[in-house]
Amino acid sequence: MSHPATLRRVTAIAATAITAVALSVPAAQGAPPEETLRSEAPRDLKIGSAVWGQNELLDYDRKNPTEFQRILAAEFNSITPENDMKWAEIHPEPGVYDFSGADAVVAFAQANNQEVRGHTLLWHSQNPQWVIDASASWTCQEARDVLEEHVRTIVGRYAGEIYEWDVANEIFQDDWDNGGVRLRTEANPFLKACAEDPVALIGDVFRWAHEADPEALLFLNDYNAEGINTKTDAYYALAQELLADGVPVHGMGAQGHLSLQYGFDTSIQANFERFAALGLKVAVTEADVRMPLGDDGEPTAEQIALQAERFDAMLQACINVAACTSYTVWGFDDARSWVPGVFPEGYATIMTEEFEKKPSYSALLESLRDATPGKSPRTPPGLNTLNR
Ligand code: G3I
């Protein structure tokens, strides 16, 4: 499947027309048009959600969407394949690609006038067994060949369809013994094979991706990369090095996986500003705010309010920095959240399992509305509780 940019533009125009018609129906019947996150987004800011295409979108029928699909289309103008473009899913065997989930995500986006954030090309996790096995004896050149073929195949297939790619994901790891972070040259099989000069490999991954899709913005992306800290210092230095080398790196993504167990670093806006000063875009790419729950499995009123503040604080930073291109939540409903499967925590998204909108949703909606010229102003959210 190859979609040239022209086809994409035509599809977008057609989808806009269809959306306009759809939106005009309730108005014609006297009901106000529905206010959604995407309808209130200021400037060209993309408001996104992750979605697992393989699980949720294969059966998509635009005339008869599921409730999940209806909300995904109504609320968001950007979607990220939560797993479908990861190595293990899309390239399960050598020379064998499974595009079914990724294609479903792109087709859904086209049908609903949405953009797609690609995720991800170089990561230490969710690599297929054949990569793990083969990497045990890879030379750097062998690793490069495998990675280059993969990157050119995936990025080339969706060229013109993806506005941003998380090219390099989580490439730094904590290194407490040495007081900082270091490139993940052990867990990441590609960086391991090229551990003598991992930055050269990282630069080339960006180059291959850029050649395959010159229009896509190419991002570094990581967790614990919201505020100014040791890890973002390392990314800042890496970005400078790559840029000095002429590497087509275009953005820094802060995943935004927060927990109420920990404090919130209010330097996120300052962090975004320093990357923007390098000429890079920034983005919140995977926002969710989890929390430990009581024996009844329910959050307290205080937790619910604090969650809203933190979702909103990440959005405020994005709205306030012109270089921030997108704000993506990592799934919008608790039923599909990755959190309970991994942590003894939950309630991490902006809607309940029954798609009931939480105060976190309302906080995002209000901030987007306030940031849109002509919309009603409101008191800025207090930051007083953020550091508790
Ligand atoms: O591999 C099998 C697959 O073959 C099978 O079809 C499927 C059936 O359920 O299970 C698959 O494994 C699942 C995998 O996603 C799919 O590739 C795992 O059980 C599941 O635990 C795994 O979780 C994902 C996780 O990344 C893996 O590390 C989450 O859904 C996804 O939300 C999470 O996303 C990451 C971002 O990519 C990067 N940042 C952190 C974020 C949260 O961990």
Side-chain angles (χ1 to χ4, degrees):
M1 186 174 76
S2 167
H3 297 276
T6 344
L7 174 57
R8 183 187 188 206
R9 273 194 296 277
V10 170
T11 312
I13 291 164
T16 307
I18 288 162
T19 308
V21 170
L23 287 176
S24 71
V25 172
Q29 293 168 347
E34 189 186 7
E35 247 187 4
T36 65
L37 299 176
R38 69 181 287 178
S39 78
E40 301 309 296
R43 49 179 169 88
D44 51 357
L45 180 63
K46 299 284 179 289
I47 302 298
S49 174
V51 57
W52 194 340
Q54 194 68 42
N55 285 1
E56 305 297 339
L57 302 180
L58 290 184
D59 65 347
Y60 180 54
D61 170 0
R62 66 191 297 168
K63 291 193 187 128
N64 189 23
T66 64
E67 182 64 354
F68 172 87
Q69 292 163 348
R70 188 194 68 74
I71 297 170
L72 184 68
E75 295 289 347
F76 303 97
N77 54 16
S78 168
I79 53 178
T80 304
E82 183 167 351
N83 292 301
D84 306 283
M85 290 185 183
K86 292 173 180 173
W87 269 82
E89 299 297 309
I90 205 166
H91 196 171
E93 301 290 343
V96 176
Y97 287 90
D98 178 356
F99 298 114
S100 55
D103 282 0
V105 171
V106 171
F108 185 87
Q110 285 179 340
N112 293 289
N113 194 23
Q114 296 169 314
E115 305 264 358
V116 179
R117 281 199 96 253
H119 178 85
T120 179
L121 300 171
L122 173 64
W123 192 26
H124 64 280
S125 184
Q126 276 178 278
N127 288 309
Q129 193 59 43
W130 71 269
V131 163
I132 295 166
D133 294 344
S135 67
S137 61
W138 271 345
T139 63
C140 178
Q141 188 56 50
E142 286 168 340
R144 287 174 58 87
D145 290 346
V146 170
L147 187 53
E148 179 174 359
E149 192 274 335
H150 176 90
V151 169
R152 289 190 189 279
T153 301
I154 307 297
V155 179
R157 178 178 180 84
Y158 299 109
E161 303 294 345
I162 308 268
Y163 73 111
E164 290 174 357
W165 262 110
D166 290 329
V167 171
N169 194 41
E170 302 170 7
I171 54 172
F172 282 102
Q173 70 183 70
D174 294 317
D175 185 10
W176 302 119
D177 290 346
N178 296 302
V181 298
R182 63 191 162 92
L183 285 169
R184 226 183 262 273
T185 49
E186 282 152 25
N188 185 311
F190 303 97
L191 296 182
K192 184 176 183 182
C194 297
E196 280 187 14
D197 192 355
V199 176
L201 177 67
I202 293 163
D204 282 343
V205 181
F206 279 88
R207 288 190 177 96
W208 299 327
H210 184 60
E211 283 173 22
D213 185 357
E215 285 182 29
L217 295 175
L218 306 181
F219 274 65
L220 299 157
N221 188 51
D222 214 323
Y223 60 87
N224 194 19
E226 290 73 48
I228 294 177
N229 57 35
T230 312
K231 190 187 268 183
T232 54
D233 284 350
Y235 273 105
Y236 187 78
L238 176 66
Q240 285 180 307
E241 187 178 348
L242 294 173
L243 289 168
D245 227 16
V247 172
V249 55
H250 306 125
M252 177 68 213
Q255 292 183 358
H257 292 295
L258 306 185
S259 168
L260 295 189
Q261 292 198 74
Y262 311 111
F264 177 73
D265 188 339
T266 53
S267 64
I268 179 169
Q269 184 172 328
N271 188 42
F272 279 178
E273 283 166 349
R274 70 172 171 162
F275 280 94
L278 290 179
L280 296 181
K281 304 292 186 191
V282 293
V284 176
T285 56
E286 306 182 14
D288 52 22
V289 184
R290 62 187 190 268
M291 62 198 73
L293 300 171
D295 291 342
D296 60 357
E298 297 295 328
T300 65
E302 191 186 17
Q303 285 176 312
I304 291 172
L306 195 52
Q307 183 194 51
E309 282 190 32
R310 291 197 180 167
F311 265 114
D312 194 30
M314 291 192 281
L315 178 60
Q316 292 287 341
C318 185
I319 288 171
N320 291 341
V321 177
C324 188
T325 54
S326 59
Y327 178 96
T328 296
V329 293
W330 207 239
F332 62 83
D333 67 305
D334 284 342
R336 292 164 184 78
S337 169
W338 69 289
V339 165
V342 176
F343 296 101
E345 296 177 90
Y347 200 76
T349 72
I350 59 174
M351 293 186 198
T352 66
E353 294 191 3
E354 292 77 35
F355 303 125
E356 194 184 323
K357 293 169 180 168
K358 299 178 186 175
S360 291
Y361 171 93
S362 308
L364 297 183
L365 186 67
E366 277 193 60
S367 287
L368 293 169
R369 189 194 297 133
D370 291 356
T372 306
K375 301 283 179 171
S376 59
R378 102 186 144 105
T379 313
L383 293 176
N384 55 321
T385 48
L386 285 175
N387 265 323
R388 280 190 299 178

